[in-house]
Short mmCIF file of all heavy atoms in Angstrom, two decimals:
data_model
loop_
_atom_site.label_atom_id
_atom_site.label_comp_id
_atom_site.label_asym_id
_atom_site.label_seq_id
_atom_site.Cartn_x
_atom_site.Cartn_y
_atom_site.Cartn_z
N MET V 1 105.70 -124.83 170.38
CA MET V 1 104.69 -125.52 169.60
C MET V 1 103.92 -124.50 168.77
O MET V 1 103.50 -123.48 169.28
CB MET V 1 103.77 -126.28 170.54
CG MET V 1 102.51 -126.85 169.91
SD MET V 1 102.70 -128.08 168.62
CE MET V 1 103.56 -129.36 169.47
N ALA V 2 103.75 -124.81 167.52
CA ALA V 2 102.99 -123.94 166.63
C ALA V 2 101.50 -124.12 166.91
O ALA V 2 101.07 -125.11 167.47
CB ALA V 2 103.29 -124.31 165.18
N ASP V 3 100.73 -123.12 166.51
CA ASP V 3 99.28 -123.28 166.65
C ASP V 3 98.78 -124.23 165.56
O ASP V 3 99.51 -124.63 164.66
CB ASP V 3 98.58 -121.93 166.61
CG ASP V 3 98.36 -121.37 165.22
OD1 ASP V 3 99.24 -121.56 164.36
OD2 ASP V 3 97.33 -120.76 164.99
N LEU V 4 97.53 -124.61 165.65
CA LEU V 4 96.95 -125.59 164.75
C LEU V 4 97.05 -125.15 163.29
O LEU V 4 97.39 -125.95 162.42
CB LEU V 4 95.49 -125.86 165.12
CG LEU V 4 94.78 -126.90 164.26
CD1 LEU V 4 95.41 -128.27 164.44
CD2 LEU V 4 93.31 -126.94 164.60
N GLY V 5 96.78 -123.89 163.02
CA GLY V 5 96.85 -123.40 161.64
C GLY V 5 98.23 -123.59 161.04
O GLY V 5 98.38 -124.08 159.91
N GLU V 6 99.26 -123.20 161.79
CA GLU V 6 100.63 -123.36 161.30
C GLU V 6 100.99 -124.82 161.12
O GLU V 6 101.60 -125.20 160.11
CB GLU V 6 101.61 -122.71 162.28
CG GLU V 6 101.49 -121.21 162.39
CD GLU V 6 102.35 -120.66 163.51
OE1 GLU V 6 103.49 -121.14 163.68
OE2 GLU V 6 101.88 -119.76 164.22
N LEU V 7 100.61 -125.65 162.09
CA LEU V 7 100.90 -127.08 162.02
C LEU V 7 100.26 -127.70 160.78
O LEU V 7 100.91 -128.45 160.04
CB LEU V 7 100.40 -127.78 163.28
CG LEU V 7 100.65 -129.28 163.36
CD1 LEU V 7 102.13 -129.56 163.55
CD2 LEU V 7 99.85 -129.88 164.49
N LEU V 8 99.00 -127.37 160.51
CA LEU V 8 98.32 -127.92 159.34
C LEU V 8 98.95 -127.44 158.04
O LEU V 8 99.14 -128.23 157.12
CB LEU V 8 96.84 -127.55 159.36
CG LEU V 8 95.99 -128.24 160.41
CD1 LEU V 8 94.55 -127.76 160.32
CD2 LEU V 8 96.06 -129.73 160.27
N GLN V 9 99.25 -126.16 157.98
CA GLN V 9 99.85 -125.63 156.75
C GLN V 9 101.17 -126.32 156.43
O GLN V 9 101.41 -126.71 155.29
CB GLN V 9 100.04 -124.12 156.87
CG GLN V 9 98.75 -123.35 156.84
CD GLN V 9 98.95 -121.87 157.10
OE1 GLN V 9 100.01 -121.32 156.83
NE2 GLN V 9 97.94 -121.22 157.64
N VAL V 10 102.01 -126.48 157.44
CA VAL V 10 103.31 -127.13 157.23
C VAL V 10 103.13 -128.59 156.84
O VAL V 10 103.75 -129.07 155.89
CB VAL V 10 104.19 -126.99 158.50
CG1 VAL V 10 105.42 -127.87 158.41
CG2 VAL V 10 104.59 -125.54 158.71
N ALA V 11 102.28 -129.31 157.57
CA ALA V 11 102.07 -130.73 157.29
C ALA V 11 101.44 -130.94 155.91
O ALA V 11 101.84 -131.86 155.18
CB ALA V 11 101.21 -131.36 158.37
N MET V 12 100.49 -130.12 155.55
CA MET V 12 99.86 -130.25 154.24
C MET V 12 100.86 -129.95 153.13
O MET V 12 100.88 -130.64 152.11
CB MET V 12 98.63 -129.33 154.14
CG MET V 12 97.47 -129.81 154.97
SD MET V 12 96.13 -128.61 155.15
CE MET V 12 95.68 -128.29 153.46
N ARG V 13 101.68 -128.93 153.34
CA ARG V 13 102.69 -128.59 152.33
C ARG V 13 103.70 -129.73 152.19
O ARG V 13 104.07 -130.11 151.07
CB ARG V 13 103.38 -127.28 152.73
CG ARG V 13 104.20 -126.67 151.65
CD ARG V 13 104.67 -125.24 151.95
NE ARG V 13 105.00 -124.96 153.32
CZ ARG V 13 104.29 -124.15 154.13
NH1 ARG V 13 103.22 -123.54 153.68
NH2 ARG V 13 104.67 -123.93 155.37
N ARG V 14 104.14 -130.31 153.32
CA ARG V 14 105.09 -131.42 153.29
C ARG V 14 104.53 -132.63 152.55
O ARG V 14 105.25 -133.31 151.83
CB ARG V 14 105.41 -131.86 154.72
CG ARG V 14 106.74 -131.44 155.15
CD ARG V 14 107.11 -132.04 156.48
NE ARG V 14 107.84 -130.99 157.16
CZ ARG V 14 107.78 -130.71 158.42
NH1 ARG V 14 107.02 -131.41 159.22
NH2 ARG V 14 108.48 -129.73 158.93
N ARG V 15 103.27 -132.90 152.74
CA ARG V 15 102.63 -134.07 152.13
C ARG V 15 102.04 -133.73 150.76
O ARG V 15 101.44 -134.59 150.12
CB ARG V 15 101.54 -134.60 153.03
CG ARG V 15 102.03 -134.97 154.38
CD ARG V 15 101.79 -136.42 154.66
NE ARG V 15 102.21 -136.75 156.00
CZ ARG V 15 103.33 -137.37 156.29
NH1 ARG V 15 104.15 -137.73 155.34
NH2 ARG V 15 103.65 -137.66 157.54
N ARG V 16 102.20 -132.47 150.35
CA ARG V 16 101.67 -131.99 149.07
C ARG V 16 100.17 -132.26 148.96
O ARG V 16 99.69 -132.79 147.96
CB ARG V 16 102.42 -132.62 147.91
CG ARG V 16 103.86 -132.18 147.86
CD ARG V 16 104.53 -132.65 146.60
NE ARG V 16 105.82 -132.03 146.44
CZ ARG V 16 106.97 -132.65 146.71
NH1 ARG V 16 106.98 -133.88 147.14
NH2 ARG V 16 108.11 -132.01 146.54
N LEU V 17 99.45 -131.88 150.00
CA LEU V 17 98.00 -132.04 150.04
C LEU V 17 97.32 -130.68 150.03
O LEU V 17 97.74 -129.77 150.74
CB LEU V 17 97.57 -132.78 151.31
CG LEU V 17 97.92 -134.24 151.43
CD1 LEU V 17 97.53 -134.76 152.80
CD2 LEU V 17 97.22 -135.04 150.35
N THR V 18 96.27 -130.59 149.27
CA THR V 18 95.43 -129.40 149.31
C THR V 18 94.36 -129.61 150.39
O THR V 18 94.19 -130.73 150.89
CB THR V 18 94.72 -129.19 147.96
OG1 THR V 18 93.86 -130.31 147.73
CG2 THR V 18 95.73 -129.02 146.81
N ALA V 19 93.65 -128.56 150.70
CA ALA V 19 92.55 -128.69 151.66
C ALA V 19 91.52 -129.69 151.13
O ALA V 19 90.99 -130.49 151.90
CB ALA V 19 91.90 -127.33 151.90
N GLN V 20 91.28 -129.69 149.84
CA GLN V 20 90.32 -130.62 149.26
C GLN V 20 90.80 -132.06 149.39
O GLN V 20 90.03 -132.96 149.73
CB GLN V 20 90.06 -130.29 147.80
CG GLN V 20 89.02 -131.19 147.17
CD GLN V 20 88.65 -130.77 145.76
OE1 GLN V 20 89.05 -129.71 145.30
NE2 GLN V 20 87.90 -131.59 145.08
N ALA V 21 92.08 -132.30 149.15
CA ALA V 21 92.62 -133.66 149.28
C ALA V 21 92.54 -134.15 150.72
O ALA V 21 92.21 -135.31 150.98
CB ALA V 21 94.06 -133.70 148.78
N LEU V 22 92.84 -133.25 151.67
CA LEU V 22 92.74 -133.63 153.08
C LEU V 22 91.29 -133.89 153.46
O LEU V 22 90.98 -134.82 154.20
CB LEU V 22 93.36 -132.54 153.97
CG LEU V 22 93.41 -132.85 155.45
CD1 LEU V 22 94.15 -134.15 155.75
CD2 LEU V 22 94.05 -131.69 156.21
N ALA V 23 90.39 -133.10 152.92
CA ALA V 23 88.96 -133.30 153.18
C ALA V 23 88.51 -134.66 152.67
O ALA V 23 87.75 -135.36 153.34
CB ALA V 23 88.15 -132.18 152.53
N GLU V 24 88.99 -135.05 151.51
CA GLU V 24 88.62 -136.36 150.95
C GLU V 24 89.15 -137.50 151.81
O GLU V 24 88.49 -138.51 151.98
CB GLU V 24 89.12 -136.48 149.52
CG GLU V 24 88.36 -135.59 148.56
CD GLU V 24 88.97 -135.55 147.17
OE1 GLU V 24 89.96 -136.27 146.90
OE2 GLU V 24 88.46 -134.76 146.35
N ARG V 25 90.32 -137.32 152.38
CA ARG V 25 90.91 -138.36 153.25
C ARG V 25 90.21 -138.47 154.59
O ARG V 25 90.21 -139.52 155.20
CB ARG V 25 92.39 -138.07 153.50
CG ARG V 25 93.27 -138.33 152.34
CD ARG V 25 94.71 -138.13 152.71
NE ARG V 25 95.56 -138.43 151.58
CZ ARG V 25 96.84 -138.68 151.67
NH1 ARG V 25 97.43 -138.65 152.84
NH2 ARG V 25 97.55 -138.95 150.59
N THR V 26 89.66 -137.36 155.07
CA THR V 26 89.10 -137.34 156.41
C THR V 26 87.58 -137.37 156.45
O THR V 26 87.00 -137.76 157.45
CB THR V 26 89.54 -136.07 157.18
OG1 THR V 26 89.05 -134.92 156.48
CG2 THR V 26 91.04 -136.02 157.32
N GLY V 27 86.95 -136.91 155.39
CA GLY V 27 85.49 -136.79 155.42
C GLY V 27 85.04 -135.46 156.00
O GLY V 27 83.84 -135.19 156.09
N ILE V 28 85.98 -134.62 156.38
CA ILE V 28 85.67 -133.28 156.89
C ILE V 28 85.49 -132.38 155.67
O ILE V 28 86.26 -132.45 154.72
CB ILE V 28 86.81 -132.75 157.78
CG1 ILE V 28 87.02 -133.69 158.96
CG2 ILE V 28 86.51 -131.33 158.27
CD1 ILE V 28 88.31 -133.42 159.74
N ARG V 29 84.51 -131.51 155.71
CA ARG V 29 84.25 -130.64 154.55
C ARG V 29 85.44 -129.71 154.29
O ARG V 29 86.08 -129.22 155.20
CB ARG V 29 82.99 -129.84 154.80
CG ARG V 29 81.75 -130.77 154.86
CD ARG V 29 80.48 -130.03 155.04
NE ARG V 29 80.33 -129.04 153.98
CZ ARG V 29 79.71 -127.89 154.12
NH1 ARG V 29 79.15 -127.57 155.26
NH2 ARG V 29 79.61 -127.05 153.13
N THR V 30 85.69 -129.47 153.01
CA THR V 30 86.81 -128.64 152.57
C THR V 30 86.81 -127.25 153.21
O THR V 30 87.86 -126.79 153.67
CB THR V 30 86.84 -128.53 151.04
OG1 THR V 30 86.91 -129.84 150.48
CG2 THR V 30 88.02 -127.70 150.56
N PRO V 31 85.67 -126.54 153.28
CA PRO V 31 85.71 -125.21 153.91
C PRO V 31 86.17 -125.26 155.37
O PRO V 31 86.86 -124.35 155.83
CB PRO V 31 84.26 -124.72 153.81
CG PRO V 31 83.67 -125.48 152.67
CD PRO V 31 84.34 -126.82 152.70
N ARG V 32 85.81 -126.31 156.09
CA ARG V 32 86.25 -126.44 157.49
C ARG V 32 87.77 -126.63 157.55
O ARG V 32 88.44 -126.01 158.37
CB ARG V 32 85.54 -127.60 158.18
CG ARG V 32 84.09 -127.28 158.49
CD ARG V 32 83.41 -128.38 159.26
NE ARG V 32 83.89 -128.56 160.61
CZ ARG V 32 83.52 -127.85 161.67
NH1 ARG V 32 82.63 -126.88 161.52
NH2 ARG V 32 84.00 -128.10 162.86
N ILE V 33 88.32 -127.47 156.68
CA ILE V 33 89.77 -127.68 156.63
C ILE V 33 90.47 -126.34 156.36
O ILE V 33 91.45 -126.01 157.00
CB ILE V 33 90.15 -128.71 155.55
CG1 ILE V 33 89.55 -130.08 155.84
CG2 ILE V 33 91.67 -128.78 155.39
CD1 ILE V 33 90.16 -130.84 156.97
N ARG V 34 89.94 -125.58 155.41
CA ARG V 34 90.55 -124.28 155.08
C ARG V 34 90.54 -123.34 156.28
O ARG V 34 91.52 -122.63 156.53
CB ARG V 34 89.81 -123.65 153.91
CG ARG V 34 90.12 -124.30 152.60
CD ARG V 34 89.52 -123.53 151.44
NE ARG V 34 89.79 -124.22 150.19
CZ ARG V 34 88.88 -124.57 149.31
NH1 ARG V 34 87.61 -124.25 149.51
NH2 ARG V 34 89.21 -125.21 148.21
N VAL V 35 89.44 -123.33 157.01
CA VAL V 35 89.35 -122.45 158.19
C VAL V 35 90.33 -122.91 159.26
O VAL V 35 91.01 -122.09 159.87
CB VAL V 35 87.90 -122.41 158.75
CG1 VAL V 35 87.84 -121.73 160.10
CG2 VAL V 35 87.00 -121.70 157.77
N PHE V 36 90.43 -124.21 159.49
CA PHE V 36 91.38 -124.71 160.49
C PHE V 36 92.81 -124.33 160.11
O PHE V 36 93.60 -123.92 160.96
CB PHE V 36 91.31 -126.24 160.63
CG PHE V 36 89.96 -126.78 161.02
CD1 PHE V 36 89.64 -128.09 160.72
CD2 PHE V 36 89.02 -126.02 161.69
CE1 PHE V 36 88.41 -128.63 161.07
CE2 PHE V 36 87.78 -126.54 162.04
CZ PHE V 36 87.48 -127.86 161.73
N ALA V 37 93.15 -124.46 158.83
CA ALA V 37 94.50 -124.14 158.37
C ALA V 37 94.78 -122.63 158.43
O ALA V 37 95.90 -122.22 158.70
CB ALA V 37 94.73 -124.66 156.96
N LYS V 38 93.76 -121.83 158.20
CA LYS V 38 93.94 -120.38 158.21
C LYS V 38 93.90 -119.80 159.61
O LYS V 38 94.77 -119.03 160.01
CB LYS V 38 92.86 -119.72 157.35
CG LYS V 38 93.00 -118.22 157.29
CD LYS V 38 91.89 -117.60 156.46
CE LYS V 38 92.03 -116.09 156.51
NZ LYS V 38 90.77 -115.41 156.46
N ASP V 39 92.87 -120.17 160.38
CA ASP V 39 92.63 -119.55 161.68
C ASP V 39 93.00 -120.41 162.87
O ASP V 39 92.92 -119.94 164.01
CB ASP V 39 91.16 -119.16 161.80
CG ASP V 39 90.73 -118.17 160.73
OD1 ASP V 39 91.56 -117.33 160.34
OD2 ASP V 39 89.57 -118.23 160.29
N GLY V 40 93.33 -121.66 162.65
CA GLY V 40 93.63 -122.55 163.76
C GLY V 40 92.37 -122.90 164.55
O GLY V 40 91.26 -122.72 164.07
N ALA V 41 92.57 -123.35 165.75
CA ALA V 41 91.44 -123.76 166.59
C ALA V 41 90.71 -122.58 167.22
O ALA V 41 89.59 -122.73 167.70
CB ALA V 41 91.93 -124.72 167.67
N GLN V 42 91.35 -121.42 167.24
CA GLN V 42 90.74 -120.25 167.87
C GLN V 42 89.88 -119.44 166.90
O GLN V 42 89.34 -118.41 167.26
CB GLN V 42 91.81 -119.32 168.45
CG GLN V 42 92.86 -119.82 169.41
CD GLN V 42 92.63 -121.14 170.08
OE1 GLN V 42 91.57 -121.54 170.23
NE2 GLN V 42 93.63 -121.85 170.50
N GLY V 43 89.75 -119.92 165.67
CA GLY V 43 88.97 -119.21 164.67
C GLY V 43 87.48 -119.34 164.91
O GLY V 43 87.04 -119.89 165.92
N PRO V 44 86.70 -118.87 163.95
CA PRO V 44 85.25 -118.87 164.11
C PRO V 44 84.63 -120.27 164.08
O PRO V 44 83.51 -120.46 164.52
CB PRO V 44 84.76 -118.05 162.91
CG PRO V 44 85.84 -118.17 161.90
CD PRO V 44 87.11 -118.29 162.68
N VAL V 45 85.38 -121.24 163.58
CA VAL V 45 84.87 -122.62 163.49
C VAL V 45 85.86 -123.53 164.20
O VAL V 45 86.81 -124.02 163.59
CB VAL V 45 84.72 -123.05 162.01
CG1 VAL V 45 84.17 -124.46 161.92
CG2 VAL V 45 83.86 -122.08 161.24
N PRO V 46 85.68 -123.76 165.50
CA PRO V 46 86.63 -124.62 166.21
C PRO V 46 86.45 -126.09 165.83
O PRO V 46 85.32 -126.54 165.64
CB PRO V 46 86.29 -124.39 167.68
CG PRO V 46 84.89 -123.91 167.69
CD PRO V 46 84.67 -123.19 166.39
N PRO V 47 87.56 -126.82 165.69
CA PRO V 47 87.46 -128.24 165.35
C PRO V 47 87.03 -129.08 166.56
O PRO V 47 87.31 -128.72 167.70
CB PRO V 47 88.89 -128.60 164.93
CG PRO V 47 89.74 -127.64 165.69
CD PRO V 47 88.94 -126.37 165.78
N THR V 48 86.38 -130.17 166.28
CA THR V 48 86.03 -131.11 167.34
C THR V 48 87.23 -132.03 167.58
O THR V 48 88.15 -132.11 166.73
CB THR V 48 84.82 -131.98 166.94
OG1 THR V 48 85.19 -132.80 165.83
CG2 THR V 48 83.61 -131.12 166.59
N GLU V 49 87.23 -132.73 168.70
CA GLU V 49 88.32 -133.67 168.96
C GLU V 49 88.34 -134.78 167.92
O GLU V 49 89.41 -135.24 167.53
CB GLU V 49 88.22 -134.24 170.37
CG GLU V 49 88.66 -133.25 171.41
CD GLU V 49 88.95 -133.89 172.76
OE1 GLU V 49 89.42 -135.04 172.80
OE2 GLU V 49 88.69 -133.21 173.76
N GLN V 50 87.18 -135.20 167.45
CA GLN V 50 87.10 -136.23 166.40
C GLN V 50 87.76 -135.72 165.12
O GLN V 50 88.50 -136.45 164.46
CB GLN V 50 85.65 -136.63 166.14
CG GLN V 50 85.48 -137.66 165.04
CD GLN V 50 86.12 -139.00 165.38
OE1 GLN V 50 86.13 -139.39 166.53
NE2 GLN V 50 86.66 -139.67 164.39
N GLU V 51 87.48 -134.48 164.75
CA GLU V 51 88.09 -133.91 163.55
C GLU V 51 89.61 -133.83 163.71
O GLU V 51 90.35 -134.14 162.78
CB GLU V 51 87.52 -132.53 163.26
CG GLU V 51 86.09 -132.57 162.76
CD GLU V 51 85.44 -131.21 162.65
OE1 GLU V 51 85.74 -130.32 163.49
OE2 GLU V 51 84.63 -131.02 161.73
N LEU V 52 90.06 -133.43 164.88
CA LEU V 52 91.50 -133.36 165.13
C LEU V 52 92.14 -134.74 165.01
O LEU V 52 93.24 -134.87 164.44
CB LEU V 52 91.78 -132.74 166.50
CG LEU V 52 91.40 -131.27 166.65
CD1 LEU V 52 91.54 -130.84 168.10
CD2 LEU V 52 92.24 -130.39 165.74
N ALA V 53 91.46 -135.75 165.52
CA ALA V 53 91.99 -137.12 165.43
C ALA V 53 92.06 -137.57 163.97
O ALA V 53 93.04 -138.20 163.55
CB ALA V 53 91.13 -138.07 166.25
N GLU V 54 91.04 -137.25 163.19
CA GLU V 54 91.02 -137.62 161.77
C GLU V 54 92.12 -136.90 161.00
O GLU V 54 92.79 -137.50 160.15
CB GLU V 54 89.66 -137.32 161.16
CG GLU V 54 88.56 -138.22 161.67
CD GLU V 54 87.18 -137.83 161.18
OE1 GLU V 54 87.08 -137.02 160.23
OE2 GLU V 54 86.20 -138.32 161.76
N ILE V 55 92.31 -135.63 161.30
CA ILE V 55 93.37 -134.85 160.64
C ILE V 55 94.74 -135.40 161.01
O ILE V 55 95.60 -135.57 160.14
CB ILE V 55 93.24 -133.36 161.01
CG1 ILE V 55 92.01 -132.75 160.32
CG2 ILE V 55 94.50 -132.60 160.63
CD1 ILE V 55 91.63 -131.38 160.82
N ALA V 56 94.95 -135.70 162.27
CA ALA V 56 96.23 -136.25 162.72
C ALA V 56 96.53 -137.56 161.99
O ALA V 56 97.65 -137.77 161.50
CB ALA V 56 96.22 -136.46 164.23
N ALA V 57 95.54 -138.44 161.89
CA ALA V 57 95.73 -139.71 161.22
C ALA V 57 96.03 -139.51 159.73
O ALA V 57 96.94 -140.14 159.18
CB ALA V 57 94.51 -140.60 161.40
N ALA V 58 95.28 -138.63 159.09
CA ALA V 58 95.46 -138.40 157.65
C ALA V 58 96.82 -137.80 157.33
O ALA V 58 97.41 -138.10 156.29
CB ALA V 58 94.35 -137.50 157.12
N LEU V 59 97.32 -136.95 158.22
CA LEU V 59 98.61 -136.30 158.00
C LEU V 59 99.76 -137.05 158.65
O LEU V 59 100.90 -136.61 158.60
CB LEU V 59 98.57 -134.85 158.51
CG LEU V 59 97.64 -133.92 157.76
CD1 LEU V 59 97.58 -132.56 158.45
CD2 LEU V 59 98.10 -133.76 156.31
N ARG V 60 99.43 -138.17 159.29
CA ARG V 60 100.42 -138.99 160.00
C ARG V 60 101.20 -138.17 161.02
O ARG V 60 102.42 -138.22 161.10
CB ARG V 60 101.34 -139.69 159.03
CG ARG V 60 100.62 -140.76 158.24
CD ARG V 60 101.52 -141.44 157.29
NE ARG V 60 101.55 -140.61 156.08
CZ ARG V 60 102.05 -140.99 154.94
NH1 ARG V 60 102.59 -142.16 154.82
NH2 ARG V 60 102.03 -140.20 153.90
N LEU V 61 100.43 -137.41 161.81
CA LEU V 61 101.00 -136.61 162.89
C LEU V 61 100.59 -137.24 164.22
O LEU V 61 99.50 -137.80 164.33
CB LEU V 61 100.46 -135.18 162.83
CG LEU V 61 100.82 -134.35 161.61
CD1 LEU V 61 100.01 -133.06 161.60
CD2 LEU V 61 102.31 -134.06 161.60
N PRO V 62 101.43 -137.12 165.24
CA PRO V 62 101.04 -137.63 166.55
C PRO V 62 99.83 -136.86 167.09
O PRO V 62 99.83 -135.62 167.08
CB PRO V 62 102.26 -137.39 167.43
CG PRO V 62 103.39 -137.15 166.48
CD PRO V 62 102.78 -136.60 165.22
N LEU V 63 98.81 -137.57 167.51
CA LEU V 63 97.60 -136.92 168.02
C LEU V 63 97.89 -135.96 169.16
O LEU V 63 97.34 -134.85 169.16
CB LEU V 63 96.56 -137.97 168.43
CG LEU V 63 95.24 -137.41 168.97
CD1 LEU V 63 94.57 -136.50 167.96
CD2 LEU V 63 94.32 -138.55 169.36
N PRO V 64 98.76 -136.29 170.13
CA PRO V 64 99.05 -135.32 171.20
C PRO V 64 99.60 -133.99 170.67
O PRO V 64 99.28 -132.93 171.19
CB PRO V 64 100.08 -136.03 172.08
CG PRO V 64 99.83 -137.48 171.84
CD PRO V 64 99.42 -137.58 170.39
N ASP V 65 100.40 -134.03 169.60
CA ASP V 65 100.93 -132.80 169.01
C ASP V 65 99.82 -131.96 168.40
O ASP V 65 99.80 -130.73 168.54
CB ASP V 65 101.98 -133.10 167.94
CG ASP V 65 103.27 -133.66 168.50
OD1 ASP V 65 103.42 -133.69 169.76
OD2 ASP V 65 104.13 -134.08 167.70
N VAL V 66 98.88 -132.61 167.74
CA VAL V 66 97.76 -131.89 167.12
C VAL V 66 96.87 -131.30 168.21
O VAL V 66 96.44 -130.14 168.12
CB VAL V 66 96.97 -132.81 166.17
CG1 VAL V 66 95.74 -132.11 165.64
CG2 VAL V 66 97.86 -133.28 165.03
N LEU V 67 96.59 -132.07 169.25
CA LEU V 67 95.76 -131.57 170.34
C LEU V 67 96.44 -130.40 171.05
O LEU V 67 95.78 -129.42 171.39
CB LEU V 67 95.45 -132.69 171.34
CG LEU V 67 94.56 -133.82 170.80
CD1 LEU V 67 94.44 -134.93 171.83
CD2 LEU V 67 93.19 -133.30 170.39
N ASP V 68 97.74 -130.48 171.27
CA ASP V 68 98.48 -129.36 171.88
C ASP V 68 98.42 -128.12 171.00
O ASP V 68 98.24 -127.02 171.49
CB ASP V 68 99.93 -129.74 172.15
CG ASP V 68 100.09 -130.66 173.35
OD1 ASP V 68 99.15 -130.78 174.15
OD2 ASP V 68 101.17 -131.27 173.47
N ALA V 69 98.59 -128.32 169.70
CA ALA V 69 98.54 -127.19 168.76
C ALA V 69 97.16 -126.55 168.77
O ALA V 69 97.05 -125.32 168.63
CB ALA V 69 98.90 -127.65 167.35
N ALA V 70 96.13 -127.33 168.95
CA ALA V 70 94.77 -126.79 168.98
C ALA V 70 94.55 -125.94 170.23
O ALA V 70 93.67 -125.08 170.24
CB ALA V 70 93.75 -127.93 168.94
N ARG V 71 95.34 -126.16 171.26
CA ARG V 71 95.21 -125.38 172.50
C ARG V 71 96.11 -124.16 172.52
O ARG V 71 96.04 -123.35 173.42
CB ARG V 71 95.53 -126.26 173.70
CG ARG V 71 94.50 -127.33 173.93
CD ARG V 71 94.80 -128.14 175.17
NE ARG V 71 94.05 -129.37 175.15
CZ ARG V 71 94.54 -130.56 174.83
NH1 ARG V 71 95.81 -130.68 174.52
NH2 ARG V 71 93.78 -131.62 174.81
N THR V 72 97.01 -124.02 171.53
CA THR V 72 97.95 -122.91 171.48
C THR V 72 97.32 -121.76 170.69
O THR V 72 96.96 -121.94 169.53
CB THR V 72 99.25 -123.34 170.75
OG1 THR V 72 99.79 -124.46 171.45
CG2 THR V 72 100.27 -122.22 170.76
N PRO V 73 97.17 -120.59 171.32
CA PRO V 73 96.57 -119.46 170.59
C PRO V 73 97.42 -119.08 169.36
O PRO V 73 98.64 -119.18 169.38
CB PRO V 73 96.60 -118.31 171.61
CG PRO V 73 96.70 -119.00 172.93
CD PRO V 73 97.46 -120.27 172.69
N ALA V 74 96.76 -118.68 168.31
CA ALA V 74 97.45 -118.29 167.07
C ALA V 74 98.41 -117.15 167.33
O ALA V 74 98.15 -116.25 168.11
CB ALA V 74 96.41 -117.86 166.03
N GLY V 75 99.56 -117.22 166.66
CA GLY V 75 100.54 -116.16 166.77
C GLY V 75 101.46 -116.27 167.98
O GLY V 75 102.27 -115.39 168.19
N THR V 76 101.36 -117.33 168.74
CA THR V 76 102.25 -117.51 169.89
C THR V 76 103.01 -118.80 169.74
O THR V 76 102.53 -119.74 169.14
CB THR V 76 101.49 -117.54 171.23
OG1 THR V 76 100.65 -118.69 171.24
CG2 THR V 76 100.67 -116.29 171.43
N MET V 77 104.16 -118.84 170.28
CA MET V 77 104.96 -120.05 170.30
C MET V 77 105.11 -120.48 171.74
O MET V 77 105.49 -119.68 172.59
CB MET V 77 106.33 -119.83 169.68
CG MET V 77 106.25 -119.44 168.22
SD MET V 77 105.47 -120.71 167.25
CE MET V 77 106.75 -121.10 166.15
N ALA V 78 104.79 -121.72 172.02
CA ALA V 78 104.89 -122.21 173.39
C ALA V 78 106.23 -122.88 173.60
O ALA V 78 106.87 -123.33 172.71
CB ALA V 78 103.77 -123.18 173.69
#
């Protein structure tokens, strides 16, 4: 399983969404989306479970996969 940052980057690229477009779909501020995509959940700004649920819905990803990715440290594959 990829970490949250990798998962977001791949999903956003597949759906051709920018951080700003994802922010508009979720209501999460664009800088937070950028941090999640760059640093994952272990970065300086950890996502809340509500934010993860909103991101999963907006990207049409299974919520359990997003939650698992948020628990995977960056740079490791589980």
Side-chain angles (χ1 to χ4, degrees):
M1 169 63 60
D3 81 323
L4 181 65
E6 294 172 40
L7 181 70
L8 289 180
Q9 289 174 27
V10 169
M12 288 169 58
R13 193 169 35 249
R14 254 187 217 142
R15 302 240 183 258
R16 294 189 170 102
L17 290 175
T18 63
Q20 183 174 351
L22 184 56
E24 289 172 5
R25 287 185 178 198
T26 62
I28 301 168
R29 294 182 56 211
T30 303
R32 287 184 68 82
I33 298 288
R34 286 187 182 127
V35 169
F36 301 156
K38 181 181 176 213
D39 299 327
Q42 306 344 335
V45 181
T48 65
E49 285 196 34
Q50 178 64 34
E51 288 172 326
L52 293 172
E54 291 174 14
I55 289 168
L59 294 174
R60 291 180 275 193
L61 296 170
L63 181 57
D65 290 353
V66 175
L67 294 174
D68 284 345
R71 292 183 197 102
T72 303
T76 65
M77 297 299 240

